[in-house]
Amino acid sequence: RASRASERSVISGSTKAASGRAAAAFSAAQSKIGSPYVYGASGPSSFDCSGLTSWAYAQAGVSIPRTSEAQADAGTRIYSESDLQVGDLVIFYGDFHHVGLYAGNGQVLHAPHTGAVVRYEAMSDMTFEFGVRI
């Protein structure tokens, strides 16, 4: 019930891609929905969180750092969720140990944790720190 409600609710945030590169990266990541999370994996058949984001941007011809902590400094920081655009990196938790791609409407596309698969999830399920526009 909660997931259906979050899909229907109107949450602040753009559904427009941040750039052509961001759109291409997001599209690449979408093609990996259902792929298993494996710690330290960077594709093409399994991923951890930063492995997914770095692989996705590589498919768009953009090299970004491999770890979520380094990705936090890879572009322009965006502190307001309402300013995020599709394909922006979203950094979670105070130590920046998790990253995903903004999917629009308050959703993130990410590789969440061991035992899970690449999927969409409500950003409100995690502690948002900031976005990064590449």
Side-chain angles (χ1 to χ4, degrees), residues 9-101:
S9 66
V10 177
I11 301 171
S12 66
S14 173
T15 55
K16 176 183 165 226
S19 67
R21 298 177 310 191
F26 186 75
S27 179
Q30 283 182 302
S31 76
K32 296 303 177 177
I33 290 172
S35 297
Y37 176 98
V38 174
Y39 181 79
S42 54
S45 57
S46 59
F47 300 90
D48 68 8
C49 66
S50 56
L52 176 65
T53 53
S54 61
W55 178 87
Y57 267 94
Q59 304 318 296
V62 180
S63 177
I64 63 172
R66 172 60 181 84
T67 67
S68 58
E69 296 86 356
Q71 289 177 12
D73 293 322
T76 304
R77 287 190 180 184
I78 301 158
Y79 291 98
S80 172
E81 287 185 50
S82 64
D83 291 335
L84 292 172
Q85 294 182 323
V86 172
D88 285 337
L89 298 176
V90 281
I91 306 295
F92 297 97
Y93 306 108
D95 61 359
F96 310 157
H97 76 263
H98 189 63
V99 63
L101 293 167

Side-chain angles (χ1 to χ4, degrees), residues 96-120:
F96 310 157
H97 76 263
H98 189 63
V99 63
L101 293 167
Y102 186 65
N105 297 318
Q107 300 285 309
V108 64
L109 178 57
H110 67 147
H113 53 76
T114 300
V117 297
V118 174
R119 67 185 186 206
Y120 293 102

